[in-house]
Every structure is written in structure tokens, then in C-alpha cells.
Amino acid sequence: PASALDSAERKRRSAAHSETLSLGGSVYDLHEVVKWFVSRQTEDSGMLNSRNERARKDKAMADKYVRENRIAEGELLTVGEVVRIVSDANHRAKTRLLRLPRAIAIAVPRECAREAEAESENLINEALEELANPDEFRSDSIEGEPCDSADLEASA
């Protein structure tokens, strides 16, 4: 037994000073074993893996450059540009809609002009209020049957 212990101790000391690890009859490169062990520990524990983090950073940078190039080429718009464009369009539409009641009053026979103007003004104001406060109005409060894209294309 003592000689077996000496033999095991000699192997252990020998492995500690060498660049290889003998295990189960196989010989492994000690540096590769340590790399494998560390990579497994970082993946399993949720710790950062520098190779994966570098790849993630490189991909994010590539995506950023693609996005910046598309903005520069006019293929993409910034949020600020979209807000400005939509706000301008909404302002122009609102201005035109608010002029409609008077135009309707002029276009209809004189005896129903006031009623037509008042009714059209009410309907336009309701529509503008709904656009200004979309959370207060639900689609199920709108009369009529729901339509799909084919219905919209047919009416165009």
C-alpha cells in the first residue's frame, strides 16, 4: 500500500510540473483543459464570456453603421423626423377639416345651411377629438361592420 501511495503521489507531482494531464488512460493538454473548464464555468454561471461579449459588441457596432448609412442615404428616418412629418400633416388636415363646415353651408340650399354647418362642425370636432385622444375611443364604438384590406382596396 505504501508503494502504491508513493506511486500515485509521484504521478500527481509529475502532472503538476508538466504541460499535460493524464486521466483515465488519456493525455490532455493542461492549458486546453483549463480554457475548457473556465469557459464552462462562465457559461453555466451566467458570468460574461469575453468572446461572446466581443461578438455581441461587434454585431451591435455593425448594425449601428448600417443604420447610420441608411439614414444618410435617406432610406430610414429618425424618430424626430417622423414626428415632425406626421405633426405637419396632421396640422394641415385639421386646418382643412375645420374649414369644411363653412364650405358645406355655402354649398347647400339656404334653408338648411345653418343646420348643415352645425352638424358638419360637430362631426368634424368629434373626429378631431378622437384623433387627439385615441385612448378614450375604442373601435367597438364605431358603427358598421369590420372590414379587411380587401374591402379597403375595393373602396379605393
Side-chain angles (χ1 to χ4, degrees), residues 43-108:
E43 289 170 7
D44 293 344
S45 68
M47 292 174 52
L48 298 179
N49 179 314
S50 62
R51 185 176 27 198
N52 291 345
E53 291 304 311
R54 176 67 184 194
R56 189 182 341 265
K57 177 186 171 198
D58 290 347
K59 182 180 180 331
M61 291 300 291
D63 290 346
K64 176 185 174 194
Y65 291 132
V66 167
R67 189 171 44 257
E68 288 173 350
N69 287 337
R70 291 185 68 199
I71 288 171
E73 293 168 1
E75 293 178 17
L76 287 178
L77 298 173
T78 65
V79 171
E81 290 171 318
V82 171
V83 167
R84 182 187 52 78
I85 290 167
V86 171
S87 294
D88 290 349
N90 286 345
H91 179 71
R92 286 191 307 275
K94 178 181 176 183
T95 301
R96 292 192 66 177
L97 285 171
L98 290 174
R99 283 191 248 150
L100 275 176
R102 186 68 193 134
I104 291 171
I106 292 170
V108 298

Side-chain angles (χ1 to χ4, degrees), residues 130 133-147:
E130 185 175 335
N133 304 306
D135 294 336
E136 293 180 22
F137 297 90
R138 295 194 330 239
S139 62
D140 61 353
S141 66
I142 300 172
E143 294 178 18
E145 294 295 317
C147 65

Side-chain angles (χ1 to χ4, degrees), residues 5-67:
L5 184 60
D6 291 336
S7 169
E9 181 63 22
R10 274 191 305 245
K11 284 183 183 178
R12 188 188 66 73
R13 287 183 183 172
S14 172
H17 295 295
S18 73
E19 297 293 317
T20 61
L21 174 68
S22 296
L23 186 64
S26 298
V27 177
Y28 300 97
D29 180 346
L30 191 57
H31 294 291
E32 292 300 316
V33 169
V34 169
K35 282 187 206 174
W36 172 84
F37 180 76
V38 168
S39 72
R40 295 283 300 194
Q41 293 302 310
T42 58
E43 289 170 7
D44 293 344
S45 68
M47 292 174 52
L48 298 179
N49 179 314
S50 62
R51 185 176 27 198
N52 291 345
E53 291 304 311
R54 176 67 184 194
R56 189 182 341 265
K57 177 186 171 198
D58 290 347
K59 182 180 180 331
M61 291 300 291
D63 290 346
K64 176 185 174 194
Y65 291 132
V66 167
R67 189 171 44 257

